[in-house]
Amino acid sequence: MRPLTRAAAFALGAVAGYAADARFADPRRGHPVALFGSAATRLERRVWRDDRAAGAGYTALCVGAVAAGALALDRTVGHRPLGRAALAAAATWTVLGGTSLTREARTIGRSLAAGDLTAARERLPHLCGRDPSALDGQQIARAVVESVAENTADAVVNALTWGTLAGTPGLLAFRAVNTLDAMVGHRSPRYGRFGWASARLDDVAGWPGARLTALLTVAAAPEPRTAWRVWRRDGSAHPSPNAGQAESAFAGAVGVRLGGTLTYGKRVEHRPVLGRELRPVTVDDIERACTLSRRVGALALGTTVAGHVLLRALFGKRRAQA
């Protein structure tokens, strides 16, 4: 029996890690992403200044440490196929959040379906950063569908995309980038300058995965033509260079209107409407969005496995010809 190639070992590990996320979701305690966040917070207290250069150094140090550590581990186990597969499985399970995403969304959906608006409002901050205090049931349902769309890209497809391109180090480095963006990349008096580098790096790192998310959403949609039309027309209208790709494709795929006025604490945003000709979101659309998210995640896994094996084969062939 021939030993597993490096590409096949990664592919096997990615499938196992995806299965672990589907079965167990995120670990409740000791999650590596949470540990990274704690370390990054301690470092921030030491190096914070209201300055872009300080923020750029902080971002480089945090992401660089994760990438270097992942690369060292990958090289250490690289000659042992099963060890490489196990490392890829652990990394994939660490970076994915698709099951936790849909569980949270469905929990809010059940509260809305039962008419428990208070419970839905209390749970919404687990999914997104909006102020739920003044939202009615329809607005909460819309926020959930939009969050499912955006986080399908961030919590699933983007990470797998970097796994395709760079294997296990790519998976972990992207999660570090995305976590830093969530921590310091938002606009606020403290992070307006310090978090600028983290936000811009997340935009760059998320660019390919956001477009892939939209394409896979079209492929998984009940009405692909509508999903394609809304995505191509409205995807670039969103203020984020990446979030609008997934949200507009989801709008067309689910058949609903997204976007409009959003409230984040004291900050109010008036965003363009995505899928303006479609109907408003209802509570039932939360389940439709979750089902779509799982389909997109499965397609992303298949793309990752096939893409990584193909890229490794092409790279090996070029090296042999050099």
Side-chain angles (χ1 to χ4, degrees):
M1 183 177 178
R2 295 179 61 183
L4 289 173
T5 64
R6 292 173 65 89
F10 173 81
L12 178 62
V15 171
Y18 186 92
D21 176 70
R23 176 64 180 85
F24 303 110
D26 292 326
R28 295 185 180 274
R29 295 182 180 179
H31 196 296
V33 174
L35 297 177
F36 167 79
S38 297
T41 297
R42 289 194 296 271
L43 178 63
E44 180 202 333
R45 295 194 188 107
R46 292 176 175 271
V47 304
W48 182 90
R49 293 199 310 274
D50 190 17
D51 179 73
R52 284 188 176 184
Y58 167 78
T59 301
L61 184 59
C62 289
V63 177
V66 171
L71 185 60
L73 282 173
D74 194 53
R75 288 181 174 176
T76 299
V77 302
H79 63 285
R80 296 193 295 271
L82 291 181
R84 186 177 179 85
L87 179 63
T92 303
W93 186 18
T94 294
V95 303
L96 293 183
T99 299
S100 295
L101 169 66
T102 54
R103 283 183 181 178
E104 287 291 344
R106 284 168 169 149
T107 297
I108 297 171
R110 286 192 294 270
S111 295
L112 290 175
D116 193 345
L117 189 58
T118 299
R121 285 173 174 165
E122 290 176 350
R123 200 69 190 178
L124 187 62
H126 291 259
L127 197 62
C128 64
R130 299 181 199 177
D131 179 5
S133 60
L135 299 182
D136 60 24
Q138 192 279 328
Q139 291 169 325
I140 290 176
R142 192 192 83 191
V144 171
V145 172
E146 290 172 350
S147 295
V148 169
E150 182 177 359
N151 286 296
T152 296
D154 281 345
V156 183
V157 183
N158 280 335
L160 290 174
T161 297
W162 282 98
T164 302
L165 299 174
T168 298
L171 290 169
L172 295 174
F174 174 79
R175 181 52 61 220
V177 170
N178 191 243
T179 302
L180 284 183
D181 178 61
M183 292 174 61
V184 305
H186 47 86
R187 296 176 182 176
S188 69
R190 179 175 177 84
Y191 297 126
R193 293 186 180 88
F194 184 81
W196 178 86
S198 292
R200 298 291 78 75
L201 181 59
D202 185 68
D203 287 343
V204 172
W207 195 96
R211 276 83 190 156
L212 178 60
T213 301
L215 285 171
L216 296 179
T217 300
V218 171
E223 295 290 341
R225 290 183 179 180
T226 303
W228 174 267
R229 183 184 73 249
V230 176
W231 169 44
R232 298 306 298 157
R233 186 191 66 204
D234 298 340
S236 298
H238 197 283
S240 166
N242 296 327
Q245 305 298 315
E247 288 188 26
S248 60
F250 262 70
V254 179
V256 295
R257 185 165 63 244
L258 301 178
T261 301
L262 310 175
T263 302
Y264 295 88
K266 297 181 179 180
R267 179 166 56 89
V268 177
E269 291 187 13
H270 300 284
R271 294 182 179 177
V273 174
L274 310 176
R276 56 184 177 272
E277 74 277 20
L278 303 175
R279 61 177 175 80
V281 177
T282 67
V283 174
D284 290 340
D285 293 316
I286 293 176
E287 180 57 35
R288 295 186 181 97
C290 290
T291 300
L292 179 63
S293 176
R294 302 304 288 172
R295 290 174 180 170
V296 170
L299 289 174
L301 175 65
T303 302
T304 294
V305 169
H308 186 76
V309 170
L310 178 60
L311 287 176
R312 291 292 303 184
L314 292 175
F315 181 71
K317 185 176 181 180
R318 289 185 178 182
R319 289 183 59 182
Q321 293 175 344

